[in-house]
Amino acid sequence: MSEVVKSDLRIALIPGDGVGTEVAAVGQAVVEAVAAATGSFTVEWTEFPWGCDFYERTGRMMDADGVERLRSFDAIYFGAVGWPTVPDHTSLWGLRLEICQGMDLWANVRPVEFLPCVRRNFGDESLVGHSWILVRENSEGEYSGVGGRNFAARPGAGQVAVESAMFTEVGCERIIRFAFELALERPVKRLIGVTKSNAQRYGMVLWDEIFERVSAEYPTVETESCLVDAMAAKMVLDPESLSVIVSSNLHGDVLSDLGSALAGSLGLGYSANLDPSMAAPSMFEPIHGSAPDIAGRGIANPFGAICSAGLMLRHLGHEREARMIEEAVVATAAASCLTPDLGGRATTAEVQDAMLQTLAGAGASRPA
Ligand code: GGG
């Protein structure tokens, strides 16, 4: 994912809703700490107040020209979307999907990592250091928005709703090829293509066929096609065997939540919504939502947001700085500085402090 090195970064910041605002602030502080420690880049942040509060005031989740305004940035750093006062389908379609589909950020990369000292209901210590990458198709499939409702005047007896999944050859091929390229970079060159093509015999069979066709171009990558139900079971029963997984929009959404939960918490999951051509700015965010149950209590897990910031720096060409963030996260976890969802007692602010201290030390010990 490493591309052009830019040393004066212009980042659009969209904290969004609930804990999104809390963890995005930590990610921002971590990026600033890396910039200070290395002197290798500066960041100009432009914050947008979009989200459910904005909706309550304006009737929109973001400004009408929001997508066009975002285009001029190098990247977008996002918190979370959703709040009980706004229907979930309104908030999601009005902001996150509006941005991803509006700019065709078609590759959603969602790593899962097993960190030290984290309380997990699953697996043992041998999983620490292991990682998977879930590659989620991010522009079409079940989230194409094709469908409608009718007969609203017949409530309780005759309403009809149709929700169609749309799979295009271009959409399937580009994400599958992207996943193969990613698998090539991994120590274990293994890729699983996920569908439900026994039950859904059009789009998902097209996906399977394209997966098989593209696989012929990557003879060094070991492949397997797996039904999504079997994939969920494999993640639980055979976690060591997995490397890269590629799936449709809905399946990737679900499997990445499962992956993060298996690794210890949804708060760990991080992601990049990429336009691999770099024509549009890519968007980086933790995979979790706004968590209204813990919002405002100062205990949200910031690791997902922090690691998303690391992915953002890597995407903008700052590989060394991305590694600094990843190493500081592992060190913070290894020191058991963990929020309650991971079995610890630390607050969000304490995790931030530990990260900043580690990064300052890493900067001080770096040769000039
Ligand atoms: N930071 C990610 C976020 O806010 N996710 C909320 C959500 O419901 N996402 C659904 C999706 O990823 O499609």
Side-chain angles (χ1 to χ4, degrees), residues 78-81 92 96-97 110 136 143 253 285-289:
F78 191 87
V81 62
L92 188 67
R96 187 186 172 277
L97 293 181
R110 296 185 151 202
R136 169 189 179 189
Y143 294 13
D253 192 0
E285 56 170 345
I287 72 164
H288 62 75

Side-chain angles (χ1 to χ4, degrees), residues 35 124 128 153 177 190 267 289 304 309 318:
D124 57 31
V128 170
R177 197 175 290 284
R190 191 174 293 150
H318 290 281

